[in-house]
Amino acid sequence: MKRFLLILSAILIITSGQSQGLLQEKNNFTKQDTLRGSITPERAWWDLTYYHLDIEVKPDTKFISGKNTIHYKVLKSYQVMQIDLQSPLEITKAIQNGKALEVRHERNAHFITLKSNQTIGDVNSIEIYYKGNPKEAKRAPWDGGFSWKKDKNGKHFVATSCQGLGASVWWPNKDHMYDEVDSMLISVTNPKGLTNVSNGRLRQLVENNNNTVTSHWFVNNPINNYGVNVNIGDYANFSEVYQGEKGDLDMNYHVLKDNLAKAKTHFKDAPKMMKAFEHWFGPYPFYEDSFKLVEVPYLGMEHQSSVTYGNKYMQGYLGSDLSGTGWGLKFDFIIIHEAGHEWFANNITNKDIADMWIHEAFTSYSENLFLDYYYGKEAAADYVIGTRKNVQNDKPLIGAYHVNNEGSGDMYYKGANMLHTLRQLVEDDEKWRQILRGLNSEFYHQTVTTKQIEDYLSEHSGIDLSAFFNQYLRDVRIPTLEYSHKNRVLKYRWTNTVNGFNLPVKISIGDDEQWLYPKAEWQTLGTSSSKKPINLNRNFYVILKEKR
């Protein structure tokens, strides 16, 4: 996905205040924020079924034009449809049943008045024509749009990235996460001599008479809007067939021609990733659409079945280890992290971007699980615990709902350590693995809320996790286990916590490890000697503090 740890960005967050002591901030959101981030009446009455995005990309002038044909099912009789497209792109016309329609523009939201009666149950279509010079990415993928670059041979190297900004930064669509299109055809016309790679499988490649080529890529599975992409370059291709849990999986790699030899060696992390993640999360969710790694002129992102790659063929994150432990240099961060999003972001997708922690916490945690699979549990623990140094604890992980507002960048590694702590509570690694696989089965190809994920984890772990999630998702404080050890009596309690926080933890008194069940009130435990040191099991994301 777009983000990774380095974005620890200063995004203002507001919380719903679900527990006393939870951080709350006031934010000023605009009407445009609401139009972008809420399920407006002009969105709610129709359900997406199919897109055919048909565009021409002209790299010489950084210009795009074309249309999106939108098929939808009528859920409620209504005559006004909201379509999103961001300036400076413009909708030139909207047509239904051969008739031009009136379009009212309200900045990036466009309201189309339909002439035909919209009868409940009908499946209709509308064509949205558009053109312009799309927003150019300033620092893709964090500030995305179109990246218009050239390779070292002077050939055009073009790619899209749009998470956060929204897909409407480059194509007209229903730009809200809650409604994923069931399937999609992506037709891209570009100059001859260059190749476009998009999502899904290549259905047809057509050479046109005007020195252009058109590629038609079909996506057989539901796909979120920001996961749709265009990648144009002087590509070479190689592939392999992976024997996965659901049979043969085509794995294709599209890289700049000059990088073909190094890619054939370096991309061996891809089948290793697939083996580890199918073990932990269940079958790859998009066998019908294949799996692809596509080289791009920016760092990378988790576009569905078309994961983009720009880590310069280095281990770690551009050659560095985000954990500081050395374990982060055992894999290519972009291959592992971005491909992990195929399960969390593309298979299981948040309905509201405020719940983006669902994407990023689980996927950051997947880095740890990759290491666990190949190097063992202690190596994996070293890594995820090492990432705690990157946590800011400045804002809650959950953002403001209905206004397209993300939570804190801590959703990455605070989120990963929250899940690592939860694994300790489950205290059964096979049960934990089945819970992770169960999530991907229960919510297969679905959009979800935080509540659905919380409820599933509580039910299948057999633990009431309501206060646990209030603490780690909705509060910025790290729970502190305060204690004193005198006269062979250990006194202990939780501080810095939300109401009802009752996380059990493992401590050791000398060489003896045992569970403690602290509460907000002081509790006592007899010990054999006050000289024995008190230590906290490192796998719990809490602070141990001696009261003197």
Side-chain angles (χ1 to χ4, degrees), residues 209-404:
N209 295 326
N210 60 351
N211 206 36
T212 63
V213 294
T214 303
S215 56
H216 300 276
W217 293 84
F218 183 70
V219 182
N220 192 70
N221 289 289
I223 185 170
N224 62 61
N225 292 330
Y226 81 82
V228 176
N229 68 347
V230 165
N231 307 288
I232 299 170
D234 185 22
Y235 286 127
N237 168 249
F238 66 102
S239 63
E240 61 186 315
V241 177
Y242 177 77
Q243 302 298 318
E245 288 195 14
K246 292 177 66 175
D248 290 348
L249 172 62
D250 293 324
M251 299 184 69
N252 283 279
Y253 312 104
H254 300 264
V255 300
L256 292 180
K257 288 179 179 177
D258 288 348
N259 294 331
L260 180 60
K262 71 172 72 171
K264 285 184 175 181
T265 298
H266 192 80
F267 282 5
K268 289 180 180 178
D269 262 2
K272 287 182 64 179
M273 169 279 301
M274 195 63 67
K275 186 176 182 180
F277 289 170
E278 284 207 331
H279 170 81
W280 283 108
F281 300 143
Y284 172 69
F286 308 106
Y287 270 71
E288 301 85 353
D289 291 325
S290 78
F291 173 85
K292 296 187 294 298
L293 275 179
V294 187
E295 187 171 2
V296 290
Y298 63 88
L299 188 57
M301 230 186 83
E302 74 268 22
H303 303 102
Q304 183 173 307
S305 74
S306 182
V307 173
T308 49
Y309 176 85
N311 202 41
K312 302 184 185 300
Y313 301 94
M314 304 172 77
Q315 295 294 83
Y317 181 106
L318 291 171
S320 66
D321 175 10
L322 295 179
S323 76
T325 65
W327 291 111
L329 297 176
K330 296 294 185 180
F331 59 90
D332 184 309
F333 178 91
I334 295 302
I335 293 176
I336 303 309
H337 181 94
E338 300 310 323
H341 276 303
E342 295 281 37
W343 285 264
F344 292 96
N346 298 338
N347 185 39
I348 302 174
T349 308
N350 54 240
K351 281 187 177 179
D352 191 300
I353 202 170
D355 289 335
M356 202 168 82
W357 76 269
I358 297 168
H359 296 195
E360 296 306 338
F362 282 97
T363 302
S364 296
Y365 182 59
S366 76
E367 301 158 27
N368 162 72
L369 294 179
F370 177 84
L371 287 167
D372 190 304
Y373 189 85
Y374 288 104
Y375 298 98
K377 197 170 179 179
E378 288 305 306
D382 286 347
Y383 177 84
V384 72
I385 292 166
T387 64
R388 292 176 188 172
K389 66 185 176 63
N390 302 306
V391 177
Q392 303 295 301
N393 286 315
D394 55 348
K395 301 176 181 69
L397 270 57
I398 294 179
Y401 290 99
H402 314 306
V403 286
N404 197 50

Side-chain angles (χ1 to χ4, degrees), residues 45-46 81 84 87 105 120 126 151 217 222 252 255 265 279 300 311 318 324 332 364 413 420 441-442 458 473 497 507:
W45 66 270
W46 55 286
M81 171 181 286
D84 305 287
S87 176
H105 308 284
I120 295 174
I126 184 172
D151 64 22
W217 293 84
N252 283 279
V255 300
T265 298
H279 170 81
N311 202 41
L318 291 171
D332 184 309
S364 296
Y413 290 124
H420 185 64
S441 175
E442 177 77 13
S458 286
L473 294 178
T497 57
I507 67 160

Side-chain angles (χ1 to χ4, degrees), residues 25-272:
E25 296 183 10
K26 294 182 178 179
N27 297 273
N28 295 315
F29 294 106
T30 66
K31 182 179 180 181
Q32 189 62 38
D33 294 326
T34 300
L35 290 175
R36 171 75 172 84
S38 64
I39 304 173
T40 62
E42 293 79 13
R43 283 171 167 163
W45 66 270
W46 55 286
D47 177 51
L48 274 171
T49 61
Y50 180 75
Y51 283 135
H52 179 196
L53 178 61
D54 185 1
I55 65 170
E56 181 172 5
V57 179
K58 297 181 177 180
D60 285 338
T61 56
K62 301 181 179 179
F63 186 85
I64 64 174
S65 62
K67 67 175 180 176
N68 188 20
T69 302
I70 303 170
H71 296 246
Y72 62 94
K73 183 177 182 179
V74 180
L75 304 178
K76 178 182 178 182
S77 184
Y78 205 81
Q79 295 301 124
V80 181
M81 171 181 286
Q82 178 181 337
I83 296 296
D84 305 287
L85 183 68
Q86 297 178 34
S87 176
L89 294 174
E90 59 176 319
I91 291 177
T92 56
K93 59 183 175 180
I95 294 178
Q96 188 170 60
N97 300 327
K99 298 179 181 178
L101 304 173
E102 177 188 346
V103 184
R104 177 174 62 85
H105 308 284
E106 190 167 336
R107 293 191 63 189
N108 297 327
H110 309 273
F111 298 92
I112 301 170
T113 301
L114 306 175
K115 294 180 179 180
S116 302
N117 288 332
Q118 304 297 305
T119 304
I120 295 174
D122 282 357
V123 176
N124 301 329
S125 66
I126 184 172
E127 297 174 337
I128 310 296
Y129 291 79
Y130 77 111
K131 66 178 182 179
N133 296 94
K135 179 184 181 299
E136 186 167 354
K138 297 177 181 177
R139 186 171 170 259
W142 299 280
D143 183 4
F146 256 85
S147 293
W148 306 99
K149 306 294 183 180
K150 290 189 177 181
D151 64 22
K152 66 180 182 181
N153 298 314
K155 295 188 176 183
H156 288 293
F157 194 20
V158 178
T160 58
S161 56
C162 58
Q163 189 178 17
L165 283 170
S168 57
V169 76
W170 68 274
W171 61 286
N173 62 88
K174 186 181 194 178
D175 203 1
H176 193 287
M177 303 292 290
Y178 88 99
D179 190 6
E180 293 188 345
V181 71
D182 298 335
S183 60
M184 182 173 184
L185 181 62
I186 306 164
S187 301
V188 178
T189 300
N190 56 262
K192 191 176 292 186
L194 299 173
T195 299
N196 171 66
V197 181
S198 289
N199 313 78
R201 293 183 184 267
L202 182 63
R203 176 175 278 184
Q204 187 180 19
L205 184 64
V206 179
E207 291 197 10
N208 305 312
N209 295 326
N210 60 351
N211 206 36
T212 63
V213 294
T214 303
S215 56
H216 300 276
W217 293 84
F218 183 70
V219 182
N220 192 70
N221 289 289
I223 185 170
N224 62 61
N225 292 330
Y226 81 82
V228 176
N229 68 347
V230 165
N231 307 288
I232 299 170
D234 185 22
Y235 286 127
N237 168 249
F238 66 102
S239 63
E240 61 186 315
V241 177
Y242 177 77
Q243 302 298 318
E245 288 195 14
K246 292 177 66 175
D248 290 348
L249 172 62
D250 293 324
M251 299 184 69
N252 283 279
Y253 312 104
H254 300 264
V255 300
L256 292 180
K257 288 179 179 177
D258 288 348
N259 294 331
L260 180 60
K262 71 172 72 171
K264 285 184 175 181
T265 298
H266 192 80
F267 282 5
K268 289 180 180 178
D269 262 2
K272 287 182 64 179

Side-chain angles (χ1 to χ4, degrees), residues 1-13 25 27 139 141-143 163-164 353 356 360 390-397 399 404-412:
M1 160 200 152
K2 145 191 167 198
R3 309 296 179 195
F4 329 120
L5 183 68
L6 297 185
I7 70 162
L8 297 174
S9 54
I11 305 169
L12 291 177
I13 313 289
E25 296 183 10
N27 297 273
R139 186 171 170 259
W142 299 280
D143 183 4
Q163 189 178 17
I353 202 170
M356 202 168 82
E360 296 306 338
N390 302 306
V391 177
Q392 303 295 301
N393 286 315
D394 55 348
K395 301 176 181 69
L397 270 57
N404 197 50
N405 178 254
E406 298 174 8
S408 168
D410 282 350
M411 70 179 79
Y412 291 80

